[in-house]
């Protein structure tokens, strides 16, 4: 039997000022996000989940709760799958960050993600978390709610692909499910699904 770890990206956040929120507190799910989280709970209702893990960020825990409640499970927070540290957090989450002279130092080398936590660090902690989860729940299904970049980097690292500085080619929309499938202690494939849409296996 296979072990399946479903990496879920948290749902939409209440962020009317379009702030790069990163690790900042005070960014819960929006009404749309709460509705999508409930859809995720319904989606996983038919799955035999052994555990539900979450990043400790409020938006991730709120996404995980409807999934866990369908199975009478508690949400277990895991620091290893938290959001990436960004030196730009608190600033506008758009091109305006490029207009500030003090931010230019973070983009001197566009081939290196120098605006926050290095991808090698993200990959190392995400792989540690995945390995611990896999060992704790052999041949079972597990949900782990995290954030876009950690999920993208975890996928690339698990698949043995280069840690690209720009991860836009790795699909990971809000509320999406990236499933890593393991057989005999080894990764065998990745599945991707946007809840409410067709399943895709890139």
């Amino acid at each position: 039997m296979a072990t399946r770890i479903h990496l879920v990206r948290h749902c939409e956040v209440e962020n009317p000022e379009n702030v790069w929120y990163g690790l900042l507190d005070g960014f819960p799910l929006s009404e749309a996000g709460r509705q999508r989280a409930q859809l995720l709970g319904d989606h996983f209702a038919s799955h035999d989940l052994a555990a539900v893990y979450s990043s400790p960020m409020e938006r991730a825990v709120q996404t995980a709760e409807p999934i866990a409640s369908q199975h009478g499970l508690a949400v277990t927070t895991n620091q290893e799958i938290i959001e990436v540290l960004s030196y730009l957090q608190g600033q506008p989450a758009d091109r305006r960050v490029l207009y500030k002279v003090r931010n230019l130092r973070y983009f001197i080398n566009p081939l290196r993600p120098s605006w926050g936590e290095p991808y090698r660090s993200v990959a190392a902690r995400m792989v540690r978390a995945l390995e611990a989860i896999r060992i704790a729940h052999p041949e079972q299904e597990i949900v782990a709610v995290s954030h876009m970049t950690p999920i993208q980097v975890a996928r690339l690292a698990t698949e043995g692909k280069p840690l690209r500085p720009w991860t836009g080619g790795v699909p990971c929309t809000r509320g999406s499910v990236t499933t890593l499938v393991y057989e005999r202690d080894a990764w065998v494939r990745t599945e991707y699904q946007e809840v409410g849409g067709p399943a895709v296996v890139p």
Side-chain angles (χ1 to χ4, degrees):
M1 291 180 62
T3 302
R4 301 171 68 86
I5 301 179
H6 304 286
L7 293 173
V8 175
R9 183 184 172 189
H10 69 79
C11 300
E12 291 85 350
V13 173
E14 186 66 35
N15 184 18
E17 302 300 324
N18 194 28
V19 173
W20 199 317
Y21 40 76
L23 295 174
L24 298 175
D25 293 326
F27 291 90
L29 294 184
S30 65
E31 178 58 31
R34 291 191 291 272
Q35 292 177 8
R36 189 184 295 272
Q38 190 56 58
L39 286 176
L40 282 165
D42 296 340
H43 170 78
F44 282 109
S46 61
H47 293 244
D48 186 17
L49 298 182
V52 176
Y53 293 86
S54 174
S55 154
M57 302 304 296
E58 182 179 11
R59 57 191 181 272
V61 174
Q62 288 180 330
T63 300
E65 286 172 341
I67 301 171
S69 66
Q70 289 276 11
H71 299 271
L73 297 169
V75 176
T76 301
T77 57
N78 186 321
Q79 189 71 25
E80 298 271 48
I81 62 175
I82 199 168
E83 176 65 287
V84 173
L85 168 67
S86 172
Y87 304 138
L88 303 172
Q89 67 183 29
Q91 300 188 51
D94 54 41
R95 291 183 179 275
R96 284 177 291 172
V97 300
L98 300 175
Y99 303 153
K100 294 184 178 181
V101 174
R102 70 173 184 269
N103 289 337
L104 295 181
R105 55 184 165 164
Y106 303 133
F107 299 96
I108 292 175
N109 182 357
L111 298 179
R112 181 174 175 271
S114 53
W115 50 86
E117 182 183 2
Y119 282 0
R120 289 180 183 273
S121 170
V122 180
R125 61 178 172 82
M126 288 297 292
V127 168
R128 281 196 304 268
L130 292 172
E131 185 68 2
I133 290 170
R134 186 186 63 77
I135 290 172
H137 307 283
E139 299 184 349
Q140 294 179 303
E141 285 192 67
I142 310 95
V143 163
V145 180
S146 186
H147 309 264
M148 181 175 68
T149 300
I151 292 173
Q152 292 172 319
V153 170
R155 175 175 181 171
L156 291 172
T158 299
E159 296 176 352
K161 296 179 179 177
L163 298 180
R164 310 183 187 101
W166 305 99
T167 56
V170 182
C172 190
T173 62
R174 291 181 180 87
S176 62
V177 182
T178 300
T179 302
L180 302 176
V181 183
Y182 301 82
E183 294 179 358
R184 295 195 178 98
D185 299 334
W187 168 82
V188 292
R189 69 180 180 276
T190 301
E191 300 168 355
Y192 176 77
Q193 184 171 8
E194 296 178 6
V195 172
V200 181
V201 184

